[in-house]
């Protein structure tokens, strides 16, 4: 006699994949009022959660991968539903079932690159430190003050390699003893985890943790808020704790201690964009502003939506690997807001944000109107 496996409710599967808080939703709809998608199209987190509790049959549709994990909905939710975790749980379930629709083709490519070379670009691991050639950047050794972990985009992307070089130049100027791991470094795994590939995230995390321990790493400096969040808040799941410092925190520390001197004026109107993973996820709002305010001649303007209410650039939650129609890009609204303020420079502190904002700046025809710069690029110009 055959024994049939009992049917498991989809909602129970979502809870098992990390979406336990889904049961607390009472459909107030506050999440939809702050979701950035509703500035450019129609999208309902509330509806997805409701459908999930009734079976959620269509896990292959793009709505499941729309959430950028910006955390606006989590902040406003009166029942602590933690919608970001629920959305990622649904994606984990989809990956577990082998769901791979056509709009995830770039995710598949990134997955292959991460598995083979430790980066999402399918680039040779041997070229990971090529950005540092000619900049006197040593290999990290245990007696150094800090490990600089530039991350994937500043290591391989031509535009963002400028950020890694600016960082290295500033550290040299301040007399900081630092080094990099170069080819030993792998992606932190943040984005691939957010699209539901938990197994690959764990593989990358374990590789990095092993490398950090073997090389005597204690303090890690990062350019990316996504690396910051992952190392600080997610790697402790593996029973390790390293001191993690974002570049904005470290630069402010160097300036306040007198190790880094600002020598020039920067007579421009500047506005600052708060990255989601630096701001809402990790409450780092003041340090970047304090740095900019210390620069003579710089006039700091605030965007319409700033600090806790900052508008997401659209690249979080793995969306960096999913095509977004030009007319639906949040970064367009961000650039338009900066231009309307009369800012000459839109500054941020996240590689994903720079990538998105640069695309919008050029796509909207503002290449001669406004610059998009990382905060290290601004600071490099005045030291």
């Amino acid at each position: 006699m055959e024994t049939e496996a009992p049917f498991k409710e989809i909602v129970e599967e979502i809870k098992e994949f990390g979406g336990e808080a889904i049961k607390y939703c009472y459909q107030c709809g506050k999440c939809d009022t702050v979701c950035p998608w509703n500035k450019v199209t129609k999208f309902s987190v509330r509806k997805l959660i409701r459908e999930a509790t009734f079976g959620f049959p269509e896990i292959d549709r793009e709505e499941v991968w729309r959430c950028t994990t910006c955390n606006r909905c989590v902040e406003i939710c009166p029942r602590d539903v933690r919608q970001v975790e629920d959305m990622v749980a649904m994606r984990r379930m989809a990956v577990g079932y082998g769901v791979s629709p056509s709009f995830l083709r770039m995710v598949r490519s990134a997955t292959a690159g991460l598995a083979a070379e430790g980066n999402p670009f399918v680039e040779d691991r041997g070229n990971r430190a090529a950005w540092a050639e000619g900049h006197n950047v040593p290999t990290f050794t245990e007696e150094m003050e800090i490990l600089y972990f530039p991350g994937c985009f500043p290591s391989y992307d031509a535009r963002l390699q400028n950020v890694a070089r600016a960082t290295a130049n500033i550290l040299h100027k301040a007399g900081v003893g630092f080094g990099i791991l170069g080819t030993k470094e792998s992606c932190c795994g943040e984005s691939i985890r957010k699209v539901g590939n938990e197994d690959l995230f764990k593989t990358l995390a374990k590789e990095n943790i092993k490398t950090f321990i073997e090389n005597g790493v204690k303090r890690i400096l990062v350019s990316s808020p996504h690396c910051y969040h992952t190392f600080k808040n997610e790697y402790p799941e593996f029973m390790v704790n390293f001191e993690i410092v974002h570049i904005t925190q470290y630069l402010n520390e160097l300036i306040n201690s007198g190790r880094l001197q600002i020598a020039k004026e920067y007579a421009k109107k500047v506005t600052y964009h708060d990255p989601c993973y630096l701001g809402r996820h990790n409450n780092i709002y003041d340090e970047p502003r304090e740095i900019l305010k210390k620069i003579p001649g710089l006039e700091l303007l605030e965007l319409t939506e700033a600090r806790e209410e900052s508008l997401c650039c659209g690249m979080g939650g793995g969306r960096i690997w999913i095509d977004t129609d030009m007319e639906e890009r949040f970064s367009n609204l961000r650039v338009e807001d900066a231009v309307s303020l009369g800012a000459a420079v839109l500054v941020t502190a996240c590689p994903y944000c720079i990538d998105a904002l640069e695309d919008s700046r050029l796509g909207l025809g503002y290449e001669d109107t406004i610059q998009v710069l990382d905060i290290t690029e601004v600071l490099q110009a005045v030291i």
Side-chain angles (χ1 to χ4, degrees):
M1 179 176 139
E2 292 186 7
T3 302
E4 292 187 8
F7 175 76
K8 184 185 291 184
E9 291 285 353
I10 293 294
V11 68
E12 294 304 319
E13 285 203 59
I14 292 170
K15 290 177 185 177
E16 288 177 11
F17 279 104
E20 173 67 22
I22 200 169
K23 64 186 180 184
Y24 300 125
C25 178
Y26 66 171
Q27 295 290 292
C28 69
K30 286 188 175 181
C31 52
D32 288 350
T33 67
V34 296
C35 181
W37 278 110
N38 289 308
K39 291 180 178 291
V40 294
T41 187
K42 291 183 179 179
F43 175 68
S44 177
V45 176
R46 179 198 62 77
K47 182 182 177 184
L48 283 176
I49 290 175
R50 187 64 169 171
E51 287 179 344
T53 63
F54 284 104
F56 200 70
E58 298 177 273
I59 56 175
D60 60 344
R61 54 181 175 166
E62 189 175 355
E63 282 84 351
V64 178
W65 278 268
R66 282 259 178 184
C67 174
T68 63
T69 67
C70 76
N71 227 39
R72 281 287 276 133
C73 54
V74 175
E75 284 196 336
I76 202 171
C77 181
R79 295 291 295 273
D80 194 29
V81 173
R82 300 196 299 278
Q83 296 91 333
V84 166
E85 293 177 19
D86 299 334
M87 294 300 105
V88 173
M90 292 179 195
R91 295 170 190 179
R92 284 182 187 141
M93 184 179 70
V95 170
Y97 280 113
V99 172
S100 186
S102 59
F103 62 82
L104 293 181
R105 62 188 180 280
M106 289 176 64
V107 173
R108 292 194 291 271
S109 175
T111 300
L114 289 166
E117 299 288 348
N119 70 80
F121 307 107
V122 203
E123 292 279 356
D124 188 338
R125 180 185 285 273
N127 295 328
R128 194 170 185 104
W131 66 269
E133 291 176 5
H135 289 265
N136 192 30
V137 178
T139 299
F140 177 82
T141 55
E142 193 168 352
E143 67 274 9
M144 290 178 173
E145 288 181 61
I146 200 162
L147 166 71
Y148 174 44
F149 188 100
C152 295
F153 269 77
S155 293
Y156 288 104
D157 182 87
R159 164 66 184 88
L160 286 154
Q161 284 178 338
N162 293 333
V163 173
R165 295 185 188 114
T167 301
N169 292 340
I170 293 169
L171 296 178
H172 281 310
K173 191 76 172 178
V176 176
F178 77 100
I180 61 172
L181 289 172
T183 57
K184 296 177 183 177
E185 176 188 321
S186 291
C187 177
C188 70
E190 188 272 336
S191 287
I192 207 66
R193 186 180 217 188
K194 297 305 186 292
V195 293
N197 196 327
E198 189 71 6
D199 289 341
L200 183 51
F201 164 73
K202 288 178 178 177
T203 297
L204 293 166
K206 289 174 183 177
E207 286 176 3
N208 277 325
I209 289 167
K210 181 174 183 289
T211 300
F212 294 159
I213 292 172
E214 287 178 348
N215 287 273
V217 173
K218 295 180 178 64
R219 198 177 195 208
I220 305 172
L221 174 67
V222 296
S223 289
S224 172
H226 296 266
C227 295
Y228 179 88
H229 179 81
T230 307
F231 291 158
K232 185 178 179 64
N233 302 317
E234 298 185 356
Y235 276 25
E237 295 171 20
F238 301 92
M239 308 306 292
V240 294
N241 281 284
F242 304 98
E243 183 183 354
I244 314 301
V245 187
H246 186 261
I247 188 62
T248 56
Q249 296 173 306
Y250 198 54
L251 293 178
N252 198 46
E253 179 185 316
L254 291 174
I255 294 169
N256 288 340
S257 67
R259 295 180 69 182
L260 188 63
Q261 301 291 327
I262 297 173
K264 301 175 185 177
E265 288 194 356
Y266 197 79
K268 295 181 181 181
K269 290 184 178 180
V270 172
T271 190
Y272 174 72
H273 162 73
D274 292 281
C276 299
Y277 273 76
L278 195 61
R280 275 187 295 272
H281 281 279
N282 288 288
N283 202 36
I284 299 174
Y285 297 107
D286 295 330
E287 289 92 327
R289 288 173 170 81
E290 287 175 13
I291 292 167
L292 294 171
K293 287 175 182 177
K294 289 182 175 78
I295 299 174
L298 187 151
E299 183 182 348
L300 182 61
L301 310 171
E302 286 288 1
L303 290 161
T304 305
E305 296 170 288
R307 299 181 71 93
E308 290 84 358
E309 296 180 354
S310 179
L311 178 64
C312 175
C313 78
M315 295 294 103
R319 293 293 305 185
I320 192 77
W321 308 120
I322 301 174
D323 283 330
T324 303
D325 292 340
M326 186 62 184
E327 63 273 13
E328 292 185 354
R329 295 181 183 181
F330 315 155
S331 50
N332 291 351
L333 304 178
R334 213 59 173 150
V335 171
E336 294 279 12
D337 191 12
V339 170
S340 70
L341 285 175
V345 185
L346 174 53
V347 174
T348 190
C350 173
Y352 288 5
C353 294
I354 289 176
D355 188 64
L357 295 169
E358 283 281 30
D359 275 356
S360 289
R361 181 179 77 98
L362 299 176
L364 294 170
Y366 288 128
E367 56 266 42
D368 297 325
T369 306
I370 192 168
Q371 284 181 287
V372 172
L373 295 176
D374 185 81
I375 197 166
T376 57
E377 295 175 302
V378 173
L379 197 56
Q380 178 181 235
V382 298
I383 60 170

